[in-house]
Amino acid sequence: MRIRAFSARPDEDEFFDRFSREYGHDLVKDPRPLNIQTAADTRGFEGLSIVQDGYLTDDVMQVLIDNGVKYLALRTIGYDGINVKMANDHGVRLSHAGYSAYSVANYTVMMILMCLRKALYILMRSHTADYSLGKAEGREMQNMTVGVIGTGRIGKAVIKNLSGFGCKIIAYDICPSKDLDNVEYVSLDELYRRSDIITLHTFLSEDTFHMIDEKAIARMKDGVTIINCARGALIDTKALIKAIEDGKVGSAGIDCFEGEDDVIRTDHNYDRRVTNHDYIILKSFQNTIVSPHVAFYTDQAVSDMVECSLRSLSQFEKGEAVPLEIHA
Ligand code: NAD
């Protein structure tokens, strides 16, 4: 199949080469994102390998349909914002990626520990040679109750990672898993009430949009730690900022941020300042760790993402079952 891979990065190179050879694809690597300008260059390509970055609007989708693109294989797990129904209605099939859950799960545990042990505060002070104890007193994991919202692939891996720490783990999911024996499923309300640490691992949907808002935060413990390595818009950022300012939220680890598309994957050097004010405010707190959506970013995950995308395109082409196909 003739494939154009948009947003192709140098670190994906060896995997594109290896897996396009393996699946027999004729692949063009294109470093540019798929957007309204670059969509014109999809004519003659049956399949596209793409990432979810907020640029695949309905206008862009229409160009792909008009150009005869048949398959869109994401190299990301998330596909929110992409009009899957519009694609399917025009016979375009989509798939997403399913890479190592431990990439995000390990990062989540790092975020939890950094928040509990005030790592940012300690490191910032050490840069000015302040080695006094200050307010660096942390908390220990075995004394914590961790509330996991969403116990799918990543939520489960987080739970497995956490099990060695001796903390109490409670969880909420609309489809509770039967194969987790060290976890107590509770209602969302109870999870908010009992958790010292709340970590989000659900998909973004109409139901979960801003699920962590002012009302939800009010139901949480004073000093709660909130971790978001899932999707930015699960949290109402303004409500989070207010709660950090008020001291209601004791610390936060934010890898995914609402409106991050204008911030991440760019070197904001001197002339390209970040203009997202909420992002700047969150980054100014010494008890808040903000990272640019990098929880997934490991060598294993990059290989998995490229392989998933090229394998799904091969399965589409051969008329085989496509386990990672997504439907409207
Ligand atoms: P998954 O589909 O395996 O799990 C999602 C879980 O959320 C499921 O168990 C589902 O039942 C549950 N869920 C759905 N709606 C819910 C609701 N309203 N309330 C509670 N639970 C609900 O997905 P996954 O692969 O584990 O990914 C989890 C999240 O992590 C996704 O949002 C994904 O986009 C995000 N993610 C982030 C990064 C990163 O780099 N930060 C990387 C990969 C994935």
Side-chain angles (χ1 to χ4, degrees):
M1 185 190 302
R2 199 148 181 254
I3 295 168
R4 184 177 280 273
F6 282 98
S7 303
R9 302 186 311 263
D11 55 295
E12 294 175 313
D13 246 16
E14 64 167 296
F15 305 117
F16 274 128
D17 292 347
R18 185 192 307 163
F19 294 117
S20 60
R21 245 191 335 267
E22 193 169 307
Y23 293 110
H25 295 311
D26 172 9
L27 180 102
V28 173
K29 288 174 264 181
D30 188 338
R32 303 169 305 162
L34 171 61
N35 57 30
I36 198 66
Q37 283 85 35
T38 59
D41 297 335
T42 59
R43 192 171 288 283
F45 291 88
E46 234 182 320
L48 304 182
S49 174
I50 58 173
V51 299
Q52 188 268 350
D53 56 11
Y55 299 125
L56 181 40
T57 56
D58 289 359
D59 292 359
V60 176
M61 186 68 83
Q62 192 57 56
V63 177
L64 305 186
I65 293 163
D66 295 345
N67 280 355
V69 171
K70 288 191 185 155
Y71 311 114
L72 298 175
L74 284 135
R75 305 197 295 282
T76 46
I77 292 183
Y79 52 88
D80 40 277
I82 296 178
N83 194 337
V84 180
K85 182 172 184 322
M86 178 179 176
N88 287 172
D89 285 351
H90 289 84
V92 177
R93 294 171 69 187
L94 286 91
S95 63
H96 68 148
Y99 48 88
S100 159
Y102 284 98
S103 57
V104 179
N106 292 359
Y107 198 90
T108 300
V109 173
M110 179 191 77
M111 283 283 213
I112 292 174
L113 288 171
M114 286 182 81
C115 285
L116 281 194
R117 299 309 303 264
K118 302 186 179 171
L120 180 64
Y121 170 75
I122 292 167
L123 292 172
M124 284 171 83
R125 294 169 82 239
S126 78
H127 285 149
T128 57
D130 182 351
Y131 307 123
S132 62
L133 289 175
K135 293 182 186 298
E137 184 183 278
R139 289 184 296 165
E140 297 189 21
M141 287 290 278
Q142 77 279 7
N143 298 326
M144 298 293 114
T145 295
V146 183
V148 179
I149 301 182
T151 54
R153 290 174 63 253
I154 295 172
K156 275 194 189 121
V158 168
I159 289 166
K160 194 160 176 222
N161 278 349
L162 287 175
S163 58
F165 285 102
C167 48
K168 171 94 187 149
I169 305 173
I170 59 178
Y172 170 77
D173 194 302
I174 48 168
C175 297
S177 174
K178 291 189 174 53
D179 55 8
L180 289 169
D181 47 17
N182 56 339
V183 169
E184 181 191 351
Y185 276 100
V186 297
S187 68
L188 194 53
D189 205 48
E190 187 172 343
L191 184 141
Y192 287 153
R193 191 162 38 80
R194 286 175 53 194
S195 300
D196 299 293
I197 298 154
I198 294 175
T199 183
L200 301 172
H201 301 289
T202 72
F203 260 98
L204 178 63
S205 66
E206 275 178 23
D207 291 339
T208 58
F209 176 80
H210 282 189
M211 69 185 294
I212 306 295
D213 59 7
E214 199 180 341
K215 277 193 198 146
I217 292 172
R219 282 142 68 195
M220 296 176 190
K221 274 190 179 180
D222 289 346
V224 64
T225 291
I226 298 177
I227 307 293
N228 187 4
C229 291
R231 276 293 174 268
L234 296 173
I235 297 183
D236 175 349
T237 309
K238 293 205 185 310
L240 178 65
I241 288 173
K242 183 171 181 308
I244 294 171
E245 284 169 348
D246 294 349
K248 171 75 184 178
V249 168
S251 53
I254 305 294
D255 185 54
C256 301
F257 179 82
E258 192 176 12
E260 67 187 16
D261 292 336
D262 294 335
V263 179
I264 64 172
R265 309 292 178 262
T266 302
D267 179 358
H268 291 275
N269 58 40
Y270 193 81
D271 298 320
R272 302 179 72 182
R273 289 172 285 274
V274 175
T275 53
N276 187 317
H277 292 184
D278 288 343
Y279 198 81
I280 292 165
I281 292 172
L282 266 191
K283 272 182 66 76
S284 74
F285 295 127
Q286 294 193 5
N287 58 358
T288 304
I289 296 154
V290 184
S291 60
H293 203 141
V294 289
F296 73 97
Y297 195 37
T298 64
D299 52 353
Q300 181 65 58
V302 173
S303 170
D304 292 349
M305 291 159 98
V306 172
E307 184 179 9
C308 277
S309 170
L310 299 195
R311 189 178 51 223
S312 292
L313 288 169
S314 170
Q315 290 163 338
F316 280 131
E317 185 184 30
K318 291 180 182 160
E320 295 173 357
V322 186
L324 290 168
E325 181 162 11
I326 46 182
H327 300 278

